[in-house]
Amino acid sequence: MVKRQAYQPILITDASRSQDDQLTSRQKRYVLMMGIRVACVIIGAILVGAKAPLLWLWLPLCAVGMVLIPWLAVLLANDRPPKEQHRLAGKFQPRMRDETPPMSLTAEERPHKIIDVEP
């Protein structure tokens, strides 16, 4: 019996990944990093319990892993790609004024003032 592979669609667009996909990948990364932290705690406990040689070297390395990894895990889990600019965002911002002087008009092109003269 031949095992079928799951259908994987081919990405042919530049659209961003869905929010569910982004959340799932961030959750997986967080769980992996926290698993590494747990491993650092367990290894540190084993090293202390076994009174391993070079304990002065290994224990600080485990401690750095126990402190830095949770901090990095939270930062990376909360890191989302930037939102795309909304299509109406530019409509509500003040426009830059054109500082070039207007072209001068000839006498014929200028608007005429009508002056009412009373007798």
Side-chain angles (χ1 to χ4, degrees), residues 48-68:
V48 168
K51 295 181 182 164
L54 298 175
L55 187 61
W56 59 271
L57 175 67
W58 297 112
L59 203 55
L61 288 176
C62 288
V64 166
M66 289 185 285
V67 172
L68 287 182

Side-chain angles (χ1 to χ4, degrees), residues 33-34 36-45 48 58-72:
M33 292 181 81
M34 293 310 280
I36 293 171
R37 178 190 186 214
V38 168
C40 285
V41 171
I42 292 171
I43 290 170
V48 168
W58 297 112
L59 203 55
L61 288 176
C62 288
V64 166
M66 289 185 285
V67 172
L68 287 182
I69 289 177
W71 178 70
L72 288 173

Side-chain angles (χ1 to χ4, degrees), residues 1-81:
M1 180 179 244
V2 176
K3 187 176 181 181
R4 287 188 156 181
Q5 291 183 354
Y7 173 70
Q8 293 292 327
I10 299 171
L11 185 63
I12 59 171
T13 181
D14 60 353
S16 61
R17 292 172 41 203
S18 71
Q19 289 183 354
D20 290 336
D21 287 344
Q22 292 174 13
L23 178 64
T24 302
S25 68
R26 291 196 320 259
Q27 287 173 338
K28 287 178 183 177
R29 188 181 326 138
Y30 179 80
V31 168
L32 175 69
M33 292 181 81
M34 293 310 280
I36 293 171
R37 178 190 186 214
V38 168
C40 285
V41 171
I42 292 171
I43 290 170
I46 291 172
L47 288 173
V48 168
K51 295 181 182 164
L54 298 175
L55 187 61
W56 59 271
L57 175 67
W58 297 112
L59 203 55
L61 288 176
C62 288
V64 166
M66 289 185 285
V67 172
L68 287 182
I69 289 177
W71 178 70
L72 288 173
V74 170
L75 283 179
L76 293 175
N78 290 326
D79 185 32
R80 294 187 339 189

Side-chain angles (χ1 to χ4, degrees), residues 83-102:
K83 291 183 179 181
E84 293 180 13
Q85 188 176 12
H86 193 270
R87 63 185 173 95
L88 297 177
K91 301 284 184 188
F92 300 109
Q93 294 176 352
R95 293 184 180 164
M96 300 300 286
R97 297 191 78 187
D98 188 14
E99 298 297 327
T100 58

Side-chain angles (χ1 to χ4, degrees), residues 111-119:
H112 300 290
K113 277 189 173 179
I114 300 175
I115 301 175
D116 229 359
V117 179
E118 292 184 31

